[in-house]
Amino acid sequence: GEDVEQSLFLSVREGDSSVINCTYTDSSSTYLYWYKQEPGAGLQLLTYIFSNMDMKQDQRLTVLLNKKDKHLSLRIADTQTGDSAIYFCAEIVWNYGGSQGNLIFGKGTKLSVKP
Amino acid sequence: DVKVTQSSRYLVKRTGEKVFLECVQDMDHENMFWYRQDPGLGLRLIYFSYDVKMKEKGDIPEGYSVSREKKERFSLILESASTNQTSMYLCASSFATRSQYFGPGTRLTVL
């Protein structure tokens, strides 16, 4: 079945770049997502990338997609203490002949930013 | 801005009680989802709904039921709460093939 894998922890120093990696299994996934969860809160959609793209940049965030290796990464430039959170990677899987989609989430990577 | 609200942020119930968790979205989304989140297990899908009065089982539906009488509202019901249902419950909504938007979560403790 579909599976999304990501490392559980990442620790960086303030001002450094953070790179969170993710691998997925469904080659038919057309959208891949990154969500952020701050302590005690729900998930906040950070960004997504369509499968025909290799890269997407949005301010300090850069998403890289290697479709051949089914590898997705999220780079956060100039990481700040406010970026400390859990980051979830997710792929979309299709139901009902492709008219509806559910998300399969990784277990999340806890990013700790040290001052 | 999409807004997904959940009826309670924190809830404490006793074993055997019937528990209702309510979720409301204001963006006319067709799809709504209930997840539970536990340390080390990530998010697990309990139930989802693609339309009013429609429901589908997710990965862990046992011990739960849902109700979708109106498009904007999706309720999760624990018929007889048990201690292993202590968890963080997250509701989400989306258009058919688009991004899911999450509510703030309900942390449920069953004593």
Side-chain angles (χ1 to χ4, degrees), chain A residues 31 33 35 37 40-45 48 86 88 92 94-96 98-103 105-107, chain B residues 9 31 33 35 37 40-43 45 48 50 54 56 88 90 96-105:
Chain A
Y31 290 96
Y33 299 86
Y35 284 84
Q37 185 181 35
L43 273 68
Q44 171 197 352
L45 178 65
Y48 64 90
I86 302 175
F88 290 91
I92 195 163
W94 300 106
N95 298 323
Y96 296 95
S99 64
Q100 301 287 353
N102 282 8
L103 294 184
F105 288 88
K107 289 187 168 51
Chain B
R9 291 299 306 272
N31 303 341
F33 306 83
Y35 297 87
Q37 183 180 19
L41 297 177
L43 273 75
L45 182 63
F48 60 98
Y50 288 157
M54 180 268 186
E56 289 277 354
M88 172 75 129
L90 294 165
T97 60
R98 308 298 291 274
S99 312
Q100 289 185 22
Y101 293 88
F102 282 79

Side-chain angles (χ1 to χ4, degrees), chain A residues 34-38 41-47 60 74 76 81-88:
Chain A
W34 285 104
Y35 284 84
K36 176 184 180 182
Q37 185 181 35
E38 294 179 355
L43 273 68
Q44 171 197 352
L45 178 65
L46 269 184
T47 187
R60 291 191 298 122
L74 174 70
I76 306 172
T81 53
D83 295 323
S84 293
I86 302 175
Y87 291 81
F88 290 91

Side-chain angles (χ1 to χ4, degrees), chain B residues 23-66:
Chain B
C23 175
V24 178
Q25 49 92 7
D26 67 357
M27 283 302 293
D28 202 34
H29 284 168
E30 299 129 348
N31 303 341
M32 296 189 76
F33 306 83
W34 274 108
Y35 297 87
R36 65 177 280 178
Q37 183 180 19
D38 301 288
L41 297 177
L43 273 75
R44 292 182 290 168
L45 182 63
I46 305 171
Y47 266 97
F48 60 98
S49 169
Y50 288 157
D51 202 352
V52 176
K53 296 197 185 295
M54 180 268 186
K55 59 186 178 185
E56 289 277 354
K57 292 179 181 178
D59 299 319
I60 52 161
E62 296 79 20
Y64 303 94
S65 61
V66 290

